[in-house]
């Protein structure tokens, strides 16, 4: 164990489908500015590597989840020979499975993590959501898992034709026609593997809850938003903080039932009209990409997750951020250097150097 | 006097959209809760439980605040006629029309 813990974070790409890693780093540095953070990346062009504000101190390329668990652990060990990190905050759904299924592999390496149990992880799977919601009296859209095109069309017909086709880990496409459904099916299968999910389309406003479970059924802190803006692929691009006791109660009930340990994001649609009900769409087993927004409002969940992983006493009770504050995402261009790209691409690692300052030439315009 | 319409319910659509058209005017039904909406003096209202926000004209603002306080119609009319130079009968007619519009666009359940 290092004198000051070193943290590894994944999911550093903030493109049109932003990953949460950079937001987690930013939140950690709000509380622990001197913390050494390394990025574990799957692509040398993950945008967070080149950020001025939330880049890791060093980065290492990982083996793709498709390469298998053995390759994953081998690569992790090789990285730790160079940079012996103490805490891992995984930020991608696809890498959660191997970690949740084998927590002893983390323990025997001395890596701390704040992860759910394998059982609660499986219970929140998209294909198991209906059972969870039945136990907690929470509404959820009817969802059917399919493995072939015939089942796809049968499922869509059973759900009224107007459906969402969803990938096992990520992505959802609204599909009304058979052709659109098939195209979406093949895309999801290729991207995320089987099964593909066919989900009833519930119309309404979208609400998300980010939080941190203590593993004993309690929520240590949470923040709820209504999505104000969405990209064409349905990703939140802006959100308004709300405080609805009904939504808080549903979230508490779900997390208590799962005895969830670690970060989570609950996604809801509230059906339209005065009697609209919250309908659980999915539970993400990690922080969302907007998790730094509540951190800027004294609800720093990533820092609390780090402290929980280390077994530290929390600094202070987490507050629910004040309704009325909102975030809007803002895409900017960042400058990268070929040296960093080359280091990551050829030897799979790079160590952040102070940025070169390029002064502007003095203006030659006459005054 | 004519009570300006409250149909300028400003909300940010969460439907997939062109980001350039991020904020829209809409009169879709909303789960409007008088007791959870706070109004600013400039007529901007925010519902902390739903995250919806609204705009109201000066006259509509007086009515919405009065409804939020649970005032009966005669007292709402008192406020309107004190604040604006308007005959009580005119104010009453406009108030009825406004309350009916609230029901029509789904912001309130009934006009009683």
């Amino acid at each position: 164990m290092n004198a000051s813990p070193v943290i590894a974070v994944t999911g550093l790409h903030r493109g049109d489908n932003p990953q949460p890693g950079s937001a987690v780093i930013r939140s950690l540095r709000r509380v622990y500015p001197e913390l050494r953070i390394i990025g574990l990346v799957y692509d040398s062009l993950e945008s967070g590597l080149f950020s001025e504000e939330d880049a890791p101190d060093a980065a290492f390329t990982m083996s793709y989840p498709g390469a298998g668990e053995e390759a994953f652990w081998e690569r992790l060990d090789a990285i730790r020979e160079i940079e012996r990190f103490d805490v891992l905050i995984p930020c991608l759904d696809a890498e959660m499975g191997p970690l949740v299924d084998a927590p002893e592999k983390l323990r025997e390496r001395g890596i701390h993590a704040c992860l759910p149990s394998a059982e609660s992880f499986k219970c929140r799977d998209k294909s198991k959501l209906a059972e969870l919601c039945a136990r907690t009296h929470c509404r959820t859209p009817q969802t059917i898992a399919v493995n072939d095109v015939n089942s796809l069309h049968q499922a869509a017909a059973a759900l009224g034709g107007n459906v969402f086709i969803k990938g096992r880990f990520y992505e959802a496409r609204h599909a009304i026609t058979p052709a659109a459904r098939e195209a979406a099916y093949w895309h999801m299968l290729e991207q995320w593997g089987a099964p593909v999910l066919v989900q009833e389309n519930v119309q309404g406003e979208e609400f998300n809850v980010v939080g941190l479970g203590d593993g004993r059924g309690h929520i240590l802190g949470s923040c709820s938003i209504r999505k104000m803006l969405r990209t064409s692929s349905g990703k939140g691009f802006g959100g308004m903080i709300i405080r609805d006791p009904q939504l808080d109660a549903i979230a508490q009930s779900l997390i208590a039932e799962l005895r969830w340990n670690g970060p989570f994001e609950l996604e809801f649609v509230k059906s339209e009209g005065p009697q609209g009900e919250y309908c659980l769409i999915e539970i993400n087993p990690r922080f969302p990409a907007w998790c730094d927004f509540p951190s800027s409002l004294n609800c720093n969940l990533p820092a609390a997750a780090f402290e929980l992983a280390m077994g530290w006493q929390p600094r202070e009770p987490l507050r629910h951020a004040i309704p009325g504050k909102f975030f809007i995402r803002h895409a900017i261009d960042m400058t990268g250097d070929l040296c960093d790209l080359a280091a990551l691409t050829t030897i799979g690692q790079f160590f952040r150097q102070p940025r070169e300052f390029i002064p502007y030439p003095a203006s030659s315009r006459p005054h | 006097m004519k009570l300006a319409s409250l149909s300028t319910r400003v909300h940010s659509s969460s439907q997939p959209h062109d980001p350039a058209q991020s904020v829209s005017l809409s009169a879709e039904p909303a789960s409007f809760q008088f007791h959870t909406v706070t109004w600013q003096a400039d007529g901007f209202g925010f519902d902390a439980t739903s995250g919806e926000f609204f705009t109201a004209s000066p006259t509509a603002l007086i009515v919405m605040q009065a409804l939020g306080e649970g005032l009966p119609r005669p007292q709402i009319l008192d406020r309107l006629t004190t604040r604006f130079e308007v005959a009580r009968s005119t104010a009453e007619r406009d108030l009825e029309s406004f309350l009916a519009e609230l029901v029509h666009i789904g912001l309130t359940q009934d006009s009683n």
Side-chain angles (χ1 to χ4, degrees):
Chain A
M1 175 98 174
N2 294 287
S4 174
V6 176
I7 304 187
V9 178
T10 67
L12 302 188
H13 190 53
R14 289 187 71 84
D16 58 353
N17 183 5
Q19 297 170 351
S22 297
V24 168
I25 293 175
R26 198 177 175 121
S27 290
L28 291 170
R29 290 217 168 110
R30 287 181 188 276
V31 180
Y32 302 102
E34 302 305 320
L35 208 59
R36 182 161 179 82
I37 300 175
I38 67 163
L40 304 180
V41 300
Y42 296 90
D43 192 302
S44 51
L45 282 176
E46 291 197 18
S47 62
L49 294 170
F50 307 101
S51 163
E52 285 294 319
E53 293 183 344
D54 42 32
D57 299 297
F60 301 86
T61 51
M62 285 291 291
S63 61
Y64 280 105
E69 290 183 25
E70 200 175 325
F72 174 86
W73 292 108
E74 275 178 16
R75 181 60 185 146
L76 215 60
D77 288 339
I79 291 168
R80 291 189 83 235
E81 289 292 315
I82 306 162
E83 188 81 55
R84 197 168 184 80
F85 62 86
D86 307 290
V87 180
L88 174 62
I89 303 183
C91 290
L92 300 172
D93 292 2
E95 63 197 8
M96 293 291 292
L99 297 173
V100 164
D101 284 338
E104 71 283 357
K105 290 188 176 176
L106 287 172
R107 275 198 297 272
E108 67 198 25
R109 287 166 170 82
I111 301 173
H112 300 260
C114 192
L115 296 171
S117 69
E119 189 185 351
S120 40
F121 182 75
K122 287 188 180 73
C123 285
R124 47 62 49 197
D125 190 87
K126 288 177 186 177
S127 60
K128 298 277 194 324
L129 221 49
E131 295 164 37
L132 172 67
C133 287
R135 294 201 298 277
T136 52
H137 310 289
C138 172
R139 275 202 66 204
T140 189
Q142 209 178 334
T143 304
I144 301 172
V146 298
N147 291 292
D148 60 73
V149 173
N150 280 343
S151 311
L152 165 77
H153 291 309
Q154 283 171 8
L159 299 176
N162 181 356
V163 294
F164 276 96
I165 308 296
K166 304 181 83 168
R168 189 177 154 209
F169 294 120
Y170 296 105
E171 283 196 79
R173 284 190 185 175
H174 185 209
I176 299 174
T177 65
R181 286 198 288 268
E182 274 194 41
Y185 171 82
W186 290 116
H187 172 79
M188 299 302 171
L189 195 66
E190 185 185 349
Q191 287 291 311
W192 308 113
V196 172
L197 302 152
V198 186
Q199 191 170 77
E200 172 194 2
N201 181 13
V202 178
Q203 304 273 357
E205 297 279 347
E206 289 190 32
F207 294 81
N208 290 4
V209 182
V210 60
L212 185 66
D214 70 354
R216 296 189 297 273
H218 303 112
I219 295 179
L220 295 171
S222 70
C223 176
S224 312
I225 60 161
R226 178 174 68 82
K227 278 190 187 176
M228 295 164 68
L229 301 173
R230 283 199 309 165
T231 65
S232 56
S233 58
K235 298 295 164 188
F237 217 73
M240 172 75 77
I241 291 180
I242 62 151
R243 191 77 203 258
D244 185 349
Q246 190 192 356
L247 184 59
D248 290 346
I250 294 171
Q252 179 57 61
S253 153
L254 289 164
I255 296 310
E257 174 67 20
L258 291 168
R259 300 179 79 82
W260 189 265
N261 190 51
F264 64 82
E265 182 193 31
L266 311 176
E267 295 189 7
F268 295 91
V269 170
K270 190 174 188 184
S271 48
E272 289 170 351
Q275 305 302 321
E277 285 184 273
Y278 288 107
C279 201
L280 182 68
I281 302 298
E282 61 186 65
I283 300 178
N284 292 317
R286 47 151 179 88
F287 285 118
W290 57 276
C291 68
D292 184 55
F293 162 55
S295 302
S296 71
L297 301 166
N298 278 330
C299 181
N300 195 324
L301 297 164
F306 162 60
E307 290 153 2
L308 190 64
M310 293 300 296
W312 295 352
Q313 286 294 316
R315 283 161 296 112
E316 55 185 348
L318 290 159
R319 299 180 198 141
H320 194 291
I322 304 161
K325 298 289 184 185
F326 65 90
F327 79 89
I328 297 284
R329 202 158 276 158
H330 179 63
I332 58 168
D333 303 335
M334 289 174 305
T335 306
D337 190 293
L338 193 62
C339 296
D340 296 339
L341 195 59
L344 266 175
T345 309
T346 55
I347 55 172
Q349 62 189 58
F350 99 107
F351 294 87
R352 190 170 167 78
Q353 304 297 325
R355 289 295 158 116
E356 184 186 2
F357 177 66
I358 304 171
Y360 278 97
S363 170
S364 59
R365 280 173 60 184
H367 294 286
Chain B
M1 184 195 76
K2 180 75 178 170
L3 280 173
S5 165
L6 190 83
S7 61
T8 51
R9 178 170 80 93
V10 182
H11 82 145
S12 302
S13 170
S14 66
Q15 300 302 310
H17 69 297
D18 175 354
Q21 298 180 350
S22 59
V23 177
S24 62
L25 294 175
S26 169
E28 294 163 7
S31 49
F32 191 88
Q33 300 288 328
F34 283 104
H35 61 281
T36 58
V37 176
T38 51
W39 293 96
Q40 294 179 15
D42 59 3
F44 190 87
F46 175 65
D47 184 340
T49 61
S50 70
E52 299 270 2
F53 41 100
F54 311 82
T55 56
S57 69
T59 42
L61 176 62
I62 286 176
V63 178
M64 298 307 285
Q65 287 176 322
L67 289 171
E69 293 168 35
L71 294 186
R73 281 179 207 198
Q75 287 189 36
I76 299 175
L77 285 169
D78 289 346
R79 283 193 180 181
L80 286 170
T81 51
T82 304
R83 175 73 176 72
F84 300 102
E85 283 186 24
V86 59
R88 193 171 179 91
S89 57
T90 306
E92 189 166 12
R93 186 194 64 212
D94 289 348
L95 178 62
E96 289 304 324
S97 165
F98 180 71
L99 294 176
E101 188 182 338
L102 291 183
V103 175
H104 177 69
I105 63 178
L107 288 181
T108 54
Q109 297 282 0
D110 56 56
S111 60
N112 294 323

